[in-house]
């Protein structure tokens, strides 16, 4: 079997804050294979975006990647590279697509110039050939009249067009990996459909791998072959997408799936996860989801659960893997019980 | 008020924003944010206003409350013509109509404790003073699921979902009958979103509140709405009971909007209608049907670019603006011949609607 | 409740103690100047022997070319300088905030008119304006001088406050306040003002140094403080031509201005932070969960 394109091993990224050290990413390991689209899903504060920034080594102080972490990409540990070599990786072998296309583009340059710049930096292209490349890329991402559009500024384009430009910039050097951090969250649903379709089509044609970071399980279901669920700085479940939606194991994943409103379910009441995500400066001992979990028992307060292997490619960080019969006895989660009675 | 009269009646509401150019602020055009919108909201029911950014749904919500001044049209609340009210009367009526905002960060004054925020409405309308007001604030916080001890804390200490609850408590403080919910859960995480949706439903059940629920997310709407109005470029293009809208979307735009919602079922490959291009500028909307340049309807033709499609009843209670969908009840030509080109006169015969449809979506007021 | 919070936070802030300490020291020195000053501020001691002497045990801060004791002149001068600076800045801050809030909150033509006026005022050199007004006014005393200085110092504050008020006006919480039926007056006082005072205080305290120097420039031109009466500015002006050989004439009053400005600035920063509840400690973890539903 070929080695994975990207292999992350016990990644720890922390931020020193006034309230203490925030362990935003706390021992994350996963692999991504060539040509694969891997989804990373979780709610705000779960560490998914910091994971993405860590891969590109774009974490700024007071954040830092702790010693002992390893990010192997195409066989090299990115964390051991000199900054100069890292710059060669960014935008060339690994490209990033951000959530907000307006802030990802520089308002004072034309979109053509910005795409051409990537080609000039990384391929040393001449001014003329870089400009031609920019027009070619705009055509590739489905922008009508690309030669004209290349001369326009970001504010002259709509949100969907801007995101296409950002994708065009990411694809200039035909990178092996694209990290897309909530690429459609800022867009309308019909535009989101366009952009996801485009991304899927282009990466299929070019053989690019995608790390798709999102909070939307629907986006994951439609675009990813495998998915990682993150909670409180950790991977809590990893599986193929089909398996995850059919047989979610971790109570958090189950909670997310239940809380998600779906078209076609009618006026059914939504399931909720009580409580809130704990603070990253003081993750709870034992299982980090314990207080919000309907199955938690005394073991969950003591032992920090490892990622249990459930079947081929399906892992879950929940003691229920060892004691499945406890699932038969749900109770009111701690977080829901400790408050006032509902009015 | 009488029982068969809706709580809120909006007729031909328009809001045009002038486009100013140059040093002297010459008006060079108009953005037609809301362009002739009509709907009713009955007591205790939820009407969802759905559409993509720039369709005018938020402006509609604010114009209904006169938080932006409508350009024309009429808004009746409990029989009062809001647009005719003076400042004093408007303030009195506003007690009955509140708003909950999308952004949990800009909707609370960072310099006030959440107790003070919730208390403001009580003070303004002299609903409670002193220790009675303190008790009421605590009660309101409990009602939205927050610990009353936290009344002395400041907004930045709370998460997005918690702040949203404070915003809801503030709206409830003046005991309104109607709340405009302007994308109240769009900025929240999935699990928190479910908590807030459920809270809004509980409050509606307990207090008989009516909601105008503004959203871009159709999946949330299906859970909370009784009826849904779909907006595109300042117009309502479809308006139907929630089941009818989701089971038989009629207007091509609604069909595309529904099909674009990502389905959380990895096995199922659905037929997706991908819309071409972007929403045109409301400063220069297309002629005829505003949706025609992007429309995928097989029968789309020159007539679509020429005729402004009226909102007509395509099936009992199910209204849509598309000349290529034959109305099953009364043809729009016949309606127009009867002088009904603008919706108000024949709009939503609620009694008929509830006779012919499953009664599960009838509103308390119509019984 | 918030008032207690603010006071509590102010008392815990080291900047407050430093700032207050320095200003209190200055104030006491100014008030007790007749008692503690070693010489009379305008006494020309011995013009031949004692003119332009470097600091010594008899004259700690040296003497000026007229044989006057610099320390004594500074002590007396601080009365004039501090009064003018603090009063002018306080007035400028109040007026600038008022104009800025009105322009920013009400917007439209009110805003256009006010801001065009501010732009126009900005384009006139303050010194020129004061000279012209003073010439028309006639005899300019300390009070008139303070008013004149205040009248040119508020533009910056009003611009800044307006910009801030514009963003606050569009915040949803102001919309919510209107939806609750709140009057404009109440919205301005409860919601807009508390959100703009922070920046107003900080820019104002930064202006204190400038105001003292403006007063100095005016003294030099014979407006306001007239020789032989001393102010920090006038002492610097007197010494400006002899910077190379009689450095103590400019250094010590310059330091006094610097320290005063620094103290005011520290106080201003602390006040801004204390008024901002976001500076409070975040929730401790044992406080969660807040939500019960």
């Amino acid at each position: 079997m070929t080695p994975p394109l990207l292999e992350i091993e016990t990644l720890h990224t922390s931020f020193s804050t006034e309230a203490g050290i925030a362990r935003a990413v706390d021992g994350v390991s996963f692999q991504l294979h060539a040509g694969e689209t891997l989804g990373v899903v979780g709610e705000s504060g779960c560490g998914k975006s910091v994971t993405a920034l860590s891969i590109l080594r774009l974490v700024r102080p007071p954040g830092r990647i702790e010693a002992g972490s390893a990010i192997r990409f195409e066989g090299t540990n990115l964390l051991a590279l000199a900054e100069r070599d890292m710059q060669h990786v960014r935008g060339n072998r690994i490209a990033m697509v951000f959530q907000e296309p307006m802030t990802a583009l520089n308002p004072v340059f034309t979109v053509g110039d910005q795409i051409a710049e990537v080609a000039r930096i990384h391929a040393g292209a001449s001014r003329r050939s870089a400009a031609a490349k920019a027009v070619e890329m705009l055509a590739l991402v489905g922008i009508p009249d690309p030669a004209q559009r290349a001369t326009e500024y970001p504010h002259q384009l709509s949100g969907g067009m801007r995101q296409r430009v950002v994708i065009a910039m990411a694809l200039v050097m035909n990178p092996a990996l694209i990290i897309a951090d909530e690429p459609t969250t800022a867009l309308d649903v019909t535009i989101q459909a366009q952009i996801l379709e485009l991304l899927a089509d282009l990466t299929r044609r070019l053989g690019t791998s995608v790390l798709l970071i999102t909070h939307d399980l629907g986006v994951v279901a439609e675009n990813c072959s495998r998915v990682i669920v993150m909670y409180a700085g950790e991977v809590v479940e990893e599986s193929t997408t089909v398996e995850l939606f059919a047989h979610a194991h971790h109570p958090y994943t189950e909670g997310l799936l239940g809380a998600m409103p779906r078209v076609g379910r009618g006026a059914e009441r939504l399931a909720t996860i009580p409580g809130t995500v704990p603070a990253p400066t003081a993750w709870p001992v034992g299982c980090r989801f314990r207080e919000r979990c309907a199955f938690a028992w005394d073991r969950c307060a003591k032992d920090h659960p490892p990622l249990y292997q459930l079947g081929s490619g399906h892992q879950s960080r929940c003691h229920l893997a060892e004691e499945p019969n406890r699932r038969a006895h749900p109770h009111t989660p701690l977080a829901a019980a400790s408050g006032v009675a509902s009015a | 008020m009488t029982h068969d009269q809706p709580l809120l009646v909006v007729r031909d509401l328009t809001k045009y924003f002038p486009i100013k150019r140059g040093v002297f602020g010459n008006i060079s055009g108009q953005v037609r944010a809301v362009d002739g919108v009509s709907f009713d909201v009955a007591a205790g029911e939820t009407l969802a206003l759905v559409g993509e950014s720039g369709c005018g749904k938020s402006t509609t919500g604010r114009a209904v409350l006169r938080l932006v001044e409508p350009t024309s049209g009429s808004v009746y609340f409990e029989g009062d013509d809001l647009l005719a009210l003076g400042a004093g009367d408007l303030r009195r009526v506003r007690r009955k109509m509140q708003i909950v905002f999308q952004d949990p960060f800009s909707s609370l004054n960072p310099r006030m404790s959440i107790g003070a925020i919730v208390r403001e409405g009580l003070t303004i309308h002299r609903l409670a003073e002193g220790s009675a007001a303190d008790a009421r604030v605590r009660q309101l916080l409990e009602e939205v699921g927050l610990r009353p001890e936290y009344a002395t804390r400041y907004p930045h200490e709370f998460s997005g979902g918690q702040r949203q609850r404070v915003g809801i408590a503030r709206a409830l403080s003046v005991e309104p009958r109607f709340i405009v919910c302007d994308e109240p859960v769009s900025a929240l995480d999935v699990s928190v979103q479910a908590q807030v949706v459920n809270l809004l439903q509980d409050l509606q059940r307990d207090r008989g509140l009516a909601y105008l629920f503004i959203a871009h997310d159709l999946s949330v709407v299906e859970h909370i709405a009784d009826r849904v109005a779909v907006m595109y470029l300042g117009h309502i293009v479809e308006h139907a009971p929630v089941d009818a809208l989701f089971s038989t979307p009629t207007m091509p735009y609604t069909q595309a909007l529904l099909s674009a919602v990502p389905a959380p079922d990895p096995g199922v490959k659905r037929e997706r209608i991908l819309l071409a291009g972007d929403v045109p500028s409301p400063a220069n909307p297309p002629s005829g049907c505003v949706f025609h340049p992007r429309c995928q309807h097989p029968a789309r033709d020159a007539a679509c670019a020429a005729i402004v499609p009226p909102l007509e009843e395509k099936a009992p209670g199910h209204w849509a603006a598309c000349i290529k969908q034959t109305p099953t009840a009364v043809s729009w030509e016949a309606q127009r011949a009867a002088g009904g080109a603008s919706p108000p006169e024949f709009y939503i015969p609620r009694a008929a609607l509830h006779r012919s449809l499953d009664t599960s979506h009838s509103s308390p007021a119509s019984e | 409740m918030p008032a207690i919070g603010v006071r509590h936070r102010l008392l815990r802030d080291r900047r407050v103690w430093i700032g207050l300490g320095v200003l209190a020291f200055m104030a006491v020195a100014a008030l007790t100047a007749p008692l503690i000053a070693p010489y009379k501020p305008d006494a020309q001691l011995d013009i031949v022997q004692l003119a332009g002497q470097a600091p010594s045990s008899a004259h700690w801060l040296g003497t000026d070319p007229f044989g006057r004791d610099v320390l004594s002149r500074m002590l007396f001068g601080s009365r004039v300088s501090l009064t003018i600076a603090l009063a002018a800045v306080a007035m400028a801050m109040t007026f600038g905030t008022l104009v800025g809030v009105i322009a920013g909150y009400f917007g439209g033509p009110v805003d256009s008119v006010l801001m065009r006026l501010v732009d126009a005022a900005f384009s006139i050199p303050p010194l020129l304006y004061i000279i012209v007004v003073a010439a028309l006014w006639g005899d300019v005393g300390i009070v008139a001088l303070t008013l004149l200085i205040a009248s040119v110092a508020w533009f910056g504050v009003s611009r800044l406050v307006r910009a801030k008020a514009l963003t606050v006006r569009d915040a949803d919480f102001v919309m919510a306040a209107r939806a609750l039926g709140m009057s404009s007056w109440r919205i301005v006082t409860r919601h807009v003002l508390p959100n703009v005072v922070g920046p107003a205080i900080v820019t104002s305290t930064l202006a204190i140094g400038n105001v003292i120097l403006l007063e100095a420039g005016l003294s030099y031109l014979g407006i306001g403080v007239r020789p032989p009466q001393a102010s920090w500015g006038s002492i610097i002006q007197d010494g400006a031509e002899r910077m190379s050989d009689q450095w103590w004439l400019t250094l010590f009053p310059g330091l006094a201005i610097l320290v005063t400005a620094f103290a005011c600035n520290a106080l201003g920063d602390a006040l801004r932070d204390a008024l901002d509840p976001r500076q409070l400690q975040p929730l401790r973890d044992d406080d969660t969960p807040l939500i019960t539903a």
Side-chain angles (χ1 to χ4, degrees):
Chain A
M1 194 175 160
T2 52
L5 177 72
L6 176 75
E7 189 175 14
I8 295 182
E9 258 181 46
T10 58
L11 176 67
H12 288 268
T13 305
S14 56
F15 293 80
S16 52
T17 67
E18 278 178 33
I21 293 176
R23 303 183 192 285
V25 178
D26 202 12
V28 164
S29 304
F30 63 85
Q31 300 180 341
L32 184 139
H33 296 275
E36 177 181 43
T37 296
L38 174 67
V40 178
V41 67
E43 299 181 279
S44 39
C46 73
K48 56 188 194 300
S49 289
V50 178
T51 303
L53 291 177
S54 302
I55 295 171
L56 282 172
R57 280 180 41 193
L58 291 174
V59 180
R60 283 202 204 99
R64 65 191 204 95
I65 300 172
E66 308 273 340
S69 312
I71 297 173
R72 268 184 286 280
F73 174 74
E74 293 181 326
T76 18
N77 184 356
L78 297 184
L79 299 182
L81 286 183
E83 179 57 29
R84 250 188 93 82
D85 297 324
M86 194 62 215
Q87 280 169 10
H88 180 70
V89 174
R90 287 185 207 126
N92 189 16
R93 301 303 301 151
I94 306 179
M96 184 118 182
V97 174
F98 292 94
Q99 170 175 347
E100 188 40 77
M102 192 64 218
T103 53
L105 295 171
N106 187 333
V108 302
F109 292 106
T110 65
V111 296
D113 282 349
Q114 296 187 56
I115 300 172
E117 196 190 5
V118 181
R120 286 167 61 82
I121 294 170
H122 288 294
S126 70
R127 191 173 291 272
R128 183 185 295 260
S129 72
K133 180 78 180 170
V135 175
E136 180 196 325
M137 293 312 296
L138 287 175
L140 182 73
V141 295
I143 290 185
D145 198 1
Q148 166 62 31
R149 290 292 180 179
T151 65
E152 294 183 359
Y153 291 87
H155 72 268
Q156 294 172 287
L157 306 179
S158 67
M161 286 285 187
R162 279 186 221 127
Q163 198 59 301
R164 282 172 193 266
V165 170
V166 172
I167 291 173
M169 276 174 80
L171 287 172
V172 169
M173 296 311 296
N174 195 11
L177 173 65
I178 289 184
I179 300 175
D181 188 359
E182 304 266 12
T184 58
T185 306
L187 304 175
D188 277 317
V189 62
T190 58
I191 307 297
Q192 162 171 296
Q194 289 176 359
I195 296 292
L196 288 174
E197 190 73 25
L198 172 78
L199 202 59
D201 177 55
L202 288 176
T203 52
R204 201 164 41 234
R205 271 159 52 191
L206 303 170
T208 319
S209 305
V210 180
L211 187 68
L212 182 62
I213 293 165
T214 178
H215 68 282
D216 188 339
L217 284 161
V219 168
V220 168
E222 297 205 344
N223 296 279
C224 304
S225 45
R226 250 177 356 112
V227 58
I228 285 169
V229 182
M230 283 187 73
Y231 181 78
E234 296 180 314
V235 173
V236 293
E237 188 155 5
E238 177 180 344
S239 125
T240 63
T241 311
V242 177
E243 169 82 2
L244 189 91
F245 281 83
H247 309 287
H249 182 270
H250 199 284
Y252 175 67
T253 315
E254 285 183 328
L256 272 189
L257 286 169
M260 185 177 54
R262 302 175 181 207
V263 168
R265 281 285 183 82
E268 178 182 299
R269 195 172 167 84
L270 292 168
T272 63
I273 306 175
T276 46
V277 183
T281 44
W283 297 127
V285 190
C287 174
R288 295 178 184 179
F289 187 62
R290 174 175 58 92
E291 292 199 332
R292 307 175 70 187
C293 179
F295 305 108
W297 66 98
D298 45 357
R299 181 178 178 189
C300 305
K302 293 197 298 274
D303 299 350
H304 182 238
L307 267 177
Y308 292 104
Q309 197 72 37
L310 300 173
S312 85
H314 192 173
Q315 297 175 308
S316 168
R317 197 181 286 281
C318 179
H319 293 311
L320 282 173
E322 285 196 336
E323 301 181 48
N325 51 345
R326 293 211 178 246
R327 207 181 270 278
H329 309 289
H331 54 79
T332 311
L334 228 59
S338 67
V340 292
S342 65
Chain B
M1 64 174 268
T2 53
H3 268 275
D4 46 8
Q5 189 182 10
L7 188 65
L8 178 79
V9 178
V10 176
R11 290 293 173 264
D12 281 330
L13 189 71
T14 59
K15 175 63 190 177
Y16 295 169
F17 291 102
I19 306 170
K20 290 183 182 167
R21 292 260 159 75
V23 196
F24 302 105
N26 298 336
I27 294 169
S28 65
Q30 283 178 322
V31 174
R32 301 171 163 214
V34 180
D35 204 1
V37 160
S38 302
F39 57 82
D40 301 343
V41 182
E45 81 161 343
T46 301
L47 171 69
L49 211 51
V50 177
E52 298 182 279
S53 44
C55 73
K57 55 187 192 300
S58 281
T59 308
T60 303
R62 283 158 201 229
V64 163
L65 300 182
R66 267 183 76 184
L67 289 173
V68 300
E69 221 39 65
T71 307
S72 68
S74 53
V75 178
Y76 294 92
F77 182 77
E78 292 183 332
D80 284 332
D81 182 356
L82 285 192
L83 305 191
L85 291 182
D89 289 330
L90 183 64
R91 215 167 284 161
R92 178 179 51 75
V93 173
R94 271 186 178 155
R95 227 196 94 183
K96 304 274 182 181
M97 336 173 57
Q98 283 301 305
I99 180 164
V100 173
F101 294 93
Q102 167 176 13
D103 182 355
F105 290 89
S106 93
S107 62
L108 305 180
N109 186 342
R111 310 223 166 213
M112 286 168 73
S113 69
I114 65 163
I117 289 169
V118 175
R119 199 187 167 117
E120 266 193 321
L122 301 175
T123 314
I124 297 165
H125 293 285
R126 301 201 177 82
L127 298 175
E129 282 171 353
S131 60
D134 289 338
R136 184 83 186 103
V137 167
R138 293 170 65 87
Q139 190 190 347
L140 282 163
L141 290 177
E142 269 184 42
E143 221 169 319
V144 297
L146 289 171
R147 292 191 177 183
E149 303 91 277
Y150 292 119
T152 56
R153 298 193 181 252
Y154 286 85
H156 72 277
E157 300 176 73
F158 295 85
S159 70
Q162 292 164 339
R163 288 159 153 261
Q164 215 53 317
R165 287 168 190 266
V166 176
I168 293 170
R170 169 176 60 195
L172 292 178
S173 69
V174 292
E175 288 156 34
R177 299 194 62 202
F178 168 70
I179 299 182
V180 173
C181 302
D182 190 359
E183 306 232 21
V185 299
S186 304
L188 305 177
D189 275 322
V190 178
S191 69
V192 181
Q193 178 176 312
Q195 290 174 1
V196 173
V197 167
N198 288 348
L199 172 68
L200 286 171
Q201 283 180 317
D202 292 346
L203 291 169
Q204 178 167 50
R205 189 193 56 217
D206 298 343
R207 296 167 161 253
L209 291 168
Y211 292 142
L212 180 65
F213 192 93
I214 297 166
H216 68 269
D217 187 343
L218 280 165
S219 47
V220 171
V221 161
E222 193 181 11
H223 282 266
I224 198 166
D226 297 310
R227 289 183 297 125
V228 182
V230 179
M231 281 188 78
Y232 186 77
L233 271 182
H235 298 264
I236 290 183
V237 295
E238 185 156 1
H239 186 155
V242 67
D243 288 350
L245 189 101
F246 281 82
S247 59
T248 50
T250 302
M251 164 78 191
Y253 175 65
T254 314
Q255 292 167 353
L257 200 60
L258 262 175
S259 85
V261 179
D265 302 297
V268 186
K269 266 289 161 212
R270 288 179 315 149
E271 197 65 27
R272 170 157 294 164
I273 306 166
L274 272 185
L275 288 181
D278 293 301
V279 182
S281 160
N284 187 18
S287 62
C289 171
V290 283
F291 185 59
H292 85 267
R294 303 174 76 199
C295 186
Q296 309 278 315
H297 198 286
R300 183 180 69 145
D301 59 17
C304 294
I307 301 170
V308 178
L311 194 61
E312 54 190 1
E313 199 167 22
K314 305 292 186 183
H318 194 142
W319 300 70
C322 177
I323 58 171
K324 297 301 175 189
Q325 304 279 353
T326 337
T328 54
V330 194
S331 76
W332 72 272
E333 289 89 350
Q335 289 172 11
R336 189 186 240 180
S342 62
E345 286 74 30
F346 59 87
Y347 197 66
I348 315 272
R350 296 190 55 80
L353 188 156
H354 287 117
R355 267 199 306 280
S356 55
L357 281 172
D358 183 311
T359 48
S360 66
H361 286 288
S362 67
S363 57
S366 60
E367 283 158 19
Chain C
M1 276 172 303
I4 295 167
V6 170
R7 198 182 310 152
H8 187 71
R9 272 174 274 160
L10 277 175
L11 293 182
R12 271 192 323 195
D13 198 326
R14 207 171 27 168
R15 290 171 299 184
V16 172
W17 295 111
I18 295 173
L20 276 182
V22 170
L23 289 183
F25 174 78
M26 300 265 181
V28 168
L31 288 173
T32 59
L35 303 175
I36 60 171
Y39 305 92
K40 280 205 148 72
D42 46 2
Q44 299 186 358
L45 299 165
D46 185 333
I47 193 99
V48 183
Q49 301 247 310
L50 285 173
Q53 288 226 328
S56 62
S57 57
H59 301 278
W60 290 358
L61 304 184
T63 59
D64 72 1
F66 303 103
R68 296 175 299 196
D69 180 58
V70 173
L71 176 61
S72 305
R73 283 184 66 74
M74 273 184 63
L75 283 168
F76 278 92
S78 70
R79 299 176 138 195
V80 177
S81 293
L82 287 177
T83 311
I84 292 178
L86 296 179
V89 165
M91 280 190 265
M93 185 176 85
T94 311
F95 192 65
T97 305
L98 194 71
V99 171
V101 164
I102 289 171
Y105 181 74
F106 291 98
V110 181
D111 180 35
S112 302
V113 169
L114 285 175
M115 284 304 116
R116 289 305 81 74
L117 283 177
V118 167
D119 286 346
F122 246 134
S123 63
I124 303 169
L127 214 53
L128 181 71
Y129 155 81
I130 293 177
I131 290 168
V132 170
V133 176
L136 296 173
W137 197 316
D139 190 27
V140 177
I142 300 278
V143 176
L145 183 68
T146 308
L147 283 172
L148 272 176
I149 291 177
S151 73
V152 296
W154 61 271
F155 310 136
V157 178
S158 73
R159 271 250 169 240
L160 193 90
V161 166
R162 169 190 172 266
K164 186 81 180 123
L166 269 177
T167 61
V168 173
R169 178 186 71 164
D170 291 335
D172 285 343
F173 63 79
V174 168
M175 191 73 92
R178 286 176 55 205
L180 282 172
M182 205 177 276
S183 62
S184 290
W185 168 248
R186 201 178 153 95
I187 290 176
V188 166
T189 52
R190 296 267 294 171
H191 291 286
V192 181
L193 265 182
N195 279 289
V196 301
V197 285
I201 289 172
V202 175
T203 34
S204 302
T205 55
L206 283 171
I208 282 185
N210 282 336
V211 166
I212 294 177
L213 291 174
L214 181 61
E215 174 261 314
L218 290 169
S219 307
Y220 187 66
L221 295 169
I223 299 166
V225 185
R226 300 259 175 80
Q229 198 186 11
S231 75
W232 290 347
S234 65
I235 303 171
I236 292 183
Q237 289 294 358
D238 290 347
E241 299 148 18
R242 324 199 60 137
M243 197 104 73
S244 52
D245 55 330
Q246 297 182 12
W247 48 267
W248 55 92
L249 292 178
T250 45
L251 178 71
F252 294 114
L255 272 179
I257 293 173
L258 191 74
V259 168
T260 310
F262 170 78
C264 291
N265 225 13
L267 260 183
D269 276 352
L271 199 57
R272 174 197 56 192
D273 290 351
L275 288 172
D276 186 350
R278 278 166 291 197
Q279 302 287 330
L280 280 172
Q281 284 297 306
L283 279 185
R284 289 179 307 278
D285 299 310
D286 57 357
D287 287 339
T288 52
L290 279 165
I291 286 212
T292 57

